[in-house]
């Protein structure tokens, strides 16, 4: 784990270069290759180096759903995009300034995104007739003039790597596998990235195979030296640390799933409750299960269940037993868990249901992103079963969203749905590690004694006797003497908790459960409107970065536009209706076909305009800026 301190971080100093050094304020790099070429590892290491240097950053990993997609084909291309800068940035960037293409398929899959004049580093070793045919090239693009508009750097990465490792006793095949480290070394030289962290990482990763570790380090150094000595790379670039962006503190690069994991651990500690995760592996949520399994020292118990239904059933059972119960999944898993979520609504027990959304329906696009589970989160259960819904806005915000979900669940004795998505889950950005004193107090009081007196004076425990402020029922740990009570999915009598089929009681309980959710205390939504605009762009979840970047572009061009972003989707902030009524036009960009827009139109009778995208990728800021400009001019 690389940690940076801002704003006084000291960058690691490398040996001075005799070549020209140019200063940039930002750059976007994309590594692309076969899914076996280690592009995600390469991108992750470059990200860690960049975080330790002190730049602001945002990443976009993009990889196939198959464990091992067909080598050399377009469906098998894996890429990792990193945007880093000396100032505050919000997205992984619309288009790369530099593309590293490890084979013809990687080039063909990504060249359309590369603007003219950008740098293109091509692994010429892979541009064989067979590889070109697999990628659909009738002739080599390196020779037919189609790349003349780019600054092309042909580099035989495999050959150079094998030559660099000839003293390490590896087979040619094994040596060739380190070519991604050669590419990482070359890019690290180009952008003056620190190197010590990557070398230390490789020694840790291959601690049981020191020969492999040293071979990868040698390849990494060879890439650095190649950049320093070859005539083809005459210029290197500096991007200064973003010292004015960060408030003082200790920072690290963090992904959304890792931030969620840490947030859950922090919530359990702040609540003084053991954390229990009942989960079934599913992309892109599995990383949370993997991470939490490492933290038994914090009282975390993880259970990999045989299926989604068993996972949430175990989590709800743990909640009944006095733990902070959590289950993680993606869209298809939420559908399977819906009956047990309804049971948790009926039992009125705290439970966190974390949905890392992906493209659907059904199996859909497991490794791509989407926001299409909002209506499922709101209404995807039988009967009137209201559930609070919240959504983080950025990868680091997933930490705070986990704490907020726990606060609501514990305070109001309800299941809570947290909607992250694949873009947030796998993307990274700097995160300031908070002091424990900054975290909210989430401690709860369990019921320990009878809470109701019958007409004959007998003191009894009523499991559905409610707190007058929150409407939450008491939480009694099983085995507490005198507090035995019945649970189950059949309707309960108000107060006593006895089974009841009385129509009036059912009507009362349904309305009371709804009133409890409607009464949840959530912060007012904040509007960013410095110029008194007549157009408001309203977003939720991971659209925050692209929307904010688009808004900044418009304001820089002199266009007035207001922005608001929702974390709480059920209940909505109480001031939302008043805010919406102030604007002539409301635009709602979503990675679905208009789910929030439909809710807004139904609830507030506002003519909200949808802008929708369901291609498995996040919005681009330039595209959104054009859409919002049209709305302003309408």
């Amino acid at each position: 784990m690389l940690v940076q301190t801002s704003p006084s971080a000291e960058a690691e100093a490398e040996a001075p270069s005799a070549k020209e050094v140019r200063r940039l304020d930002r750059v976007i790099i994309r590594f692309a290759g076969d899914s076996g070429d280690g592009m995600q590892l390469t991108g992750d290491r470059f990200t860690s180096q960049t975080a330790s240097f002190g730049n602001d950053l945002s990443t976009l990993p993009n990889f196939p759903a198959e464990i091992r997609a067909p080598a050399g084909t377009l469906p098998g291309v894996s890429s990792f995009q990193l945007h880093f800068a000396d100032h505050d940035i919000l997205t992984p960037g619309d288009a790369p300034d530099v593309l590293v293409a490890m084979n013809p398929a990687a080039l063909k899959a990504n060249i359309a995104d590369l603007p003219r004049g950008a740098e293109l580093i091509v692994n010429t070793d892979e541009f064989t007739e067979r590889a070109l045919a697999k990628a659909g090239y009738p002739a080599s693009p390196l020779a037919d003039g189609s790349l003349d508009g780019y600054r092309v750097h042909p580099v035989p990465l495999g050959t150079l790597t094998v030559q660099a490792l000839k003293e390490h006793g590896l087979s040619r095949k094994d040596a060739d596998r380190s070519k991604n480290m050669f590419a990482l070394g070359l890019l690290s030289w180009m952008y003056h990235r620190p190197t010590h962290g990557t070398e230390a990482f490789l020694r840790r990763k291959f601690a049981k195979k020191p020969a492999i570790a040293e071979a990868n380090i040698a390849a990494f150094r060879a890439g650095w030296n190649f950049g320093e000595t070859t005539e083809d790379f005459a210029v290197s670039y500096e991007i200064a640390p973003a010292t004015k962006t960060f408030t003082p503190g200790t920072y690290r690069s963090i992904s959304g799933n890792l931030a969620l994991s840490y947030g859950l651990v922090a919530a359990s500690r702040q609540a003084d409750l053991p954390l229990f995760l009942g989960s079934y592996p599913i992309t892109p949520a599995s990383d949370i299960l993997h991470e939490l399994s490492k933290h038994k020292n914090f009282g975390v118990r993880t259970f990999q269940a045989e299926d989604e239904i068993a996972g949430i059933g175990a989590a709800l059972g743990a909640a009944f037993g006095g733990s902070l119960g959590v289950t993680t999944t993606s869209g298809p898993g939420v559908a399977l868990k819906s009956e047990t979520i309804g049971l948790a609504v009926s039992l009125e027990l705290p439970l966190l249901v974390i949905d890392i959304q992906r493209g659907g329906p059904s199996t859909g696009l497991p490794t791509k992103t989407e926001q299409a589970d909002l209506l499922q989160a709101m209404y995807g259960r039988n009967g009137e079963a209201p559930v609070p819904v919240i959504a983080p806005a950025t990868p680091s915000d997933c930490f705070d969203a986990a704490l907020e979900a726990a606060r609501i669940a514990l305070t109001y004795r309800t299941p809570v749905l947290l909607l992250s998505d694949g873009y947030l889950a796998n993307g990274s950005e700097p995160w300031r590690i908070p002091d424990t004193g900054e975290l909210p107090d989430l401690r709860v009081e369990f019921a320990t004694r009878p809470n109701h007196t019958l007409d004959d004076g007998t003191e009894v425990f009523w499991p559905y006797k409610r707190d007058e402020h929150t409407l939450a029922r008491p939480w009694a740990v099983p085995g507490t003497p005198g507090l035995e009570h019945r649970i189950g999915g059949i309707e309960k009598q108000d107060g006593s908790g006895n089974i009841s089929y009385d129509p009036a009681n059912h009507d009362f309980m349904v309305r009371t459960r709804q009133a409890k959710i409607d009464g949840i205390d959530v912060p007012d939504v904040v509007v960013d409107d410095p110029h008194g605009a007549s157009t408001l762009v309203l977003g939720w979840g991971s659209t925050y970065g692209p929307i904010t970047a688009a808004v900044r572009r418009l304001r820089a061009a002199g266009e007035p536009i207001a922005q608001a972003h929702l974390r709480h989707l059920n209940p909505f902030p109480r001031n939302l209706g008043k805010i919406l009524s102030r604007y002539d036009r409301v635009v709602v960009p979503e990675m679905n076909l208009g789910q929030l827009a439909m809710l807004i139109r139904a609830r507030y009778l506002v003519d909200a305009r949808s802008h929708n995208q369901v291609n498995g990728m996040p919005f681009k800021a330039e595209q959104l800026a054009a859409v919002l400009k049209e709305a302003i001019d309408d």
Side-chain angles (χ1 to χ4, degrees):
M1 180 179 72
L2 288 174
V3 177
Q4 70 185 41
T5 302
S6 177
S8 59
E10 293 185 3
E12 297 180 50
E14 302 297 341
S17 172
K19 296 185 177 182
E20 179 186 355
V21 178
R22 294 178 186 170
R23 193 74 174 262
L24 301 176
D25 63 349
R26 68 182 188 93
V27 72
I28 303 167
I29 296 173
R30 184 183 297 177
F31 298 93
D34 188 73
S35 59
D37 283 337
M39 294 296 93
Q40 302 306 316
L41 175 63
T42 305
D44 182 68
R45 291 315 311 159
F46 198 96
T47 299
S48 294
Q49 294 172 184
T50 298
S52 70
F53 190 77
N55 296 115
D56 197 10
L57 62 91
S58 180
T59 69
L60 178 62
N62 186 17
F63 44 88
E66 291 80 9
I67 294 174
R68 188 66 173 90
T73 65
L74 294 179
V77 172
S78 173
S79 68
F80 189 105
Q81 183 162 305
L82 167 68
H83 182 193
F84 60 103
D86 65 3
H87 57 277
D88 177 33
I89 58 174
L90 297 155
T91 75
D94 289 354
D97 302 303
V98 183
L99 172 63
V100 180
M102 303 294 282
N103 61 20
L107 178 63
K108 189 164 191 178
N110 292 278
I111 192 65
D113 292 336
L114 197 66
R116 293 288 174 173
E119 294 202 69
L120 175 58
I121 300 172
V122 181
N123 177 22
T124 56
D125 284 340
E126 293 295 323
F127 279 68
T128 63
E129 288 187 12
R130 183 182 180 189
L132 289 166
K134 272 189 175 182
Y137 278 117
S140 174
L142 300 178
D144 65 6
S146 60
L147 302 180
D148 288 350
Y150 308 100
R151 290 179 286 164
V152 181
H153 303 280
V155 182
L157 290 174
T159 299
L160 292 172
T161 302
V162 171
Q163 289 176 356
L165 301 185
K166 61 184 178 181
E167 304 298 330
H168 286 261
L170 300 178
S171 68
R172 183 178 181 86
K173 181 179 179 181
D174 287 341
D176 184 72
R177 289 173 177 166
S178 296
K179 62 181 179 288
N180 64 322
M181 288 296 104
F182 188 101
L184 177 60
L186 173 57
L187 269 293
S188 297
W189 172 83
M190 284 182 65
Y191 292 97
H192 295 229
R193 298 296 90 186
T195 61
H196 302 312
T198 290
E199 294 187 9
F201 165 81
L202 291 170
R203 289 194 173 96
R204 290 195 305 271
K205 181 177 177 63
F206 298 106
K208 296 181 180 179
K209 298 179 179 179
I212 299 297
E214 293 308 313
N216 277 281
I217 291 170
F220 177 66
R221 292 175 176 173
W224 177 283
N225 293 332
F226 177 78
E228 179 66 24
T229 58
T230 184
E231 295 181 1
D232 192 35
F233 291 89
V235 178
S236 64
Y237 304 93
E238 282 187 349
I239 295 90
T243 54
K244 296 181 180 179
T245 298
F246 303 112
T247 57
T250 302
Y251 285 75
R252 61 159 295 160
S253 175
I254 200 166
S255 68
N257 274 353
L258 186 57
L260 256 175
S261 301
Y262 289 172
L264 292 171
V265 174
S268 74
R269 293 299 82 212
Q270 293 302 107
D272 196 21
L273 296 174
L275 176 65
F276 180 91
L277 174 68
S279 184
Y280 180 75
I282 184 171
T283 302
S286 299
D287 289 342
I288 302 173
L289 171 62
H290 301 159
E291 180 62 33
L292 288 179
S293 67
K294 303 175 184 177
H295 297 292
K296 297 180 179 65
N297 56 313
F298 286 113
V300 178
R301 294 184 181 180
T302 53
F303 170 55
Q304 180 175 318
E306 65 269 28
D307 55 39
E308 296 280 7
I309 299 171
I312 189 173
L316 183 57
F320 177 60
S323 294
L324 179 59
V326 183
T327 189
T328 53
T329 189
S330 191
V334 176
L336 291 168
K337 296 177 188 293
S338 62
E339 182 179 3
T340 307
I341 297 173
L343 176 59
V345 171
S346 177
L347 297 182
E348 301 189 45
L349 286 172
L351 177 69
L352 303 186
V353 182
I354 296 175
D355 175 10
I356 313 297
Q357 299 167 95
R358 69 190 204 187
S362 188
T363 306
L365 303 175
T367 60
K368 309 301 180 184
T369 195
E370 207 163 271
Q371 288 184 299
D373 294 349
L374 176 57
L375 293 183
Q376 179 178 222
M378 290 285 290
Y379 304 118
R381 295 162 295 282
N382 66 295
E384 297 288 345
V387 171
V389 180
I390 70 170
T394 67
S396 63
D397 187 45
C398 290
F399 178 86
D400 296 316
L403 286 164
E404 175 66 357
R407 177 191 73 85
I408 293 173
L410 294 170
T411 302
Y412 296 91
R413 311 287 197 267
T414 178
V416 176
L417 263 155
L418 187 152
L419 297 180
S420 179
D421 60 46
Y423 172 39
L424 296 183
N426 297 315
S428 301
E429 67 178 359
W431 172 60
R432 186 180 69 83
I433 301 172
D435 294 329
T436 55
E438 301 174 36
L439 303 179
D441 184 352
L442 301 178
R443 287 173 295 181
V444 298
E445 293 186 7
F446 290 110
T448 58
R449 59 180 63 87
N451 62 358
H452 184 73
T453 303
L454 299 177
D455 291 340
D456 63 2
T458 304
E459 292 188 338
V460 296
F461 176 66
W462 272 17
Y464 284 86
K465 188 168 186 176
R466 302 179 183 278
D467 181 283
E468 62 180 9
H469 300 293
T470 65
L471 299 182
R473 77 174 187 88
W475 192 3
V477 176
T480 304
L483 304 192
E484 297 84 358
H485 59 284
R486 178 183 286 109
I487 63 170
I490 298 177
E491 185 65 279
K492 305 297 185 296
Q493 185 181 50
D494 175 48
S496 71
N498 295 328
I499 290 176
S500 174
Y501 297 98
D502 178 63
N505 178 78
H506 177 62
D507 181 274
F508 178 82
M509 292 294 277
V510 166
R511 294 179 186 276
T512 300
R513 288 189 289 261
Q514 183 65 57
K516 180 172 69 171
I517 304 307
D518 292 341
I520 291 174
D521 182 22
V522 303
D524 283 348
V525 65
V526 176
V527 183
D528 177 20
D529 185 6
H531 304 114
S534 58
T535 300
L536 170 72
V537 55
L538 179 69
W540 69 278
S542 67
T543 58
Y544 173 79
I547 289 174
T548 306
V551 166
R552 287 181 180 178
R553 293 188 185 197
L554 289 171
R555 289 177 180 169
E559 299 288 347
I561 187 167
Q563 178 187 1
H565 206 78
L566 296 176
R567 163 176 282 183
H568 296 87
L569 298 157
N570 192 35
F572 285 130
R574 286 172 175 76
N575 68 331
L576 180 57
K578 182 181 296 185
I579 286 171
L580 294 173
S581 67
R582 297 206 309 248
Y583 294 92
D584 297 334
R585 292 169 294 275
V586 177
V587 184
V588 185
E590 297 180 80
M591 293 187 293
N592 57 45
L593 294 182
Q595 297 185 16
L596 175 62
M598 183 172 69
L599 294 173
I600 292 295
R601 291 169 68 96
R603 175 72 179 271
Y604 300 107
L605 303 181
V606 170
D607 186 19
R609 308 182 186 184
S610 286
H611 176 66
N612 310 116
Q613 176 174 298
V614 283
N615 61 7
M617 298 295 288
F619 284 112
K620 293 183 177 180
E622 183 177 2
Q623 170 200 10
L624 273 182
V627 169
L628 296 175
K629 178 66 167 62
E630 290 180 5
I632 292 171
D633 294 341
D634 188 0

